[in-house]
């Protein structure tokens, strides 16, 4: 997604927001809870995303290359039984 965003000259966060879905694409039902837009906003603010240089290999710390990208992952919730402390 980050490489596609560079090719399209779109910020990677903006590209993800344009592709954002309010519905589960497999089940075609709305998500019961989802705060991904707000997570993107908070993450971008916390990392100073707007101050980064967008081009690949464009940021350095001395002679070291520094890369900033973003990713999103999902997973199914899992409930586990708590084991007694005596176990």
């Amino acid at each position: 997604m980050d490489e596609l965003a560079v090719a399209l000259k779109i910020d990677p966060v903006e590209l993800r927001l344009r592709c954002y879905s309010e519905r589960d694409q497999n089940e075609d039902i709305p998500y019961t809870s989802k705060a991904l837009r707000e997570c993107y906003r908070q993450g971008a603010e916390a990392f100073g995303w707007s101050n980064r240089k967008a081009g690949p290999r464009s940021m350095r710390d001395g002679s070291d290359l520094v890369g900033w990208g973003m990713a999103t992952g999902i997973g199914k919730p899992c409930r586990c039984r708590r084991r007694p402390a005596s176990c």
Side-chain angles (χ1 to χ4, degrees):
M1 292 282 289
D2 290 347
E3 291 175 1
L4 177 60
V6 169
L8 295 172
K9 298 181 181 170
I10 298 172
D11 181 85
V13 174
E14 176 62 27
L15 178 59
R16 282 168 176 81
L17 289 172
R18 289 184 188 187
C19 296
Y20 191 85
S21 176
E22 297 288 347
R23 302 181 69 78
D24 181 310
Q25 300 299 302
N26 295 319
E27 304 291 329
D28 193 31
I29 56 175
Y31 292 110
T32 55
S33 64
K34 187 174 172 187
L36 198 52
R37 286 183 190 274
E38 181 61 14
C39 288
Y40 287 162
R41 187 195 67 72
Q42 286 182 20
E45 186 178 306
F47 281 90
W49 187 261
S50 63
N51 298 324
R52 84 187 212 306
K53 295 180 182 174
R57 305 180 63 86
S58 63
M59 295 186 350
R60 293 186 174 272
D61 180 7
S63 61
D64 295 328
L65 286 170
V66 177
W68 284 18
M70 66 153 313
T72 303
I74 61 170
K76 292 202 175 235
C78 175
R79 286 190 175 174
C80 300
R81 288 188 182 173
R82 187 175 169 168
R83 293 175 38 182
S86 61
C87 290

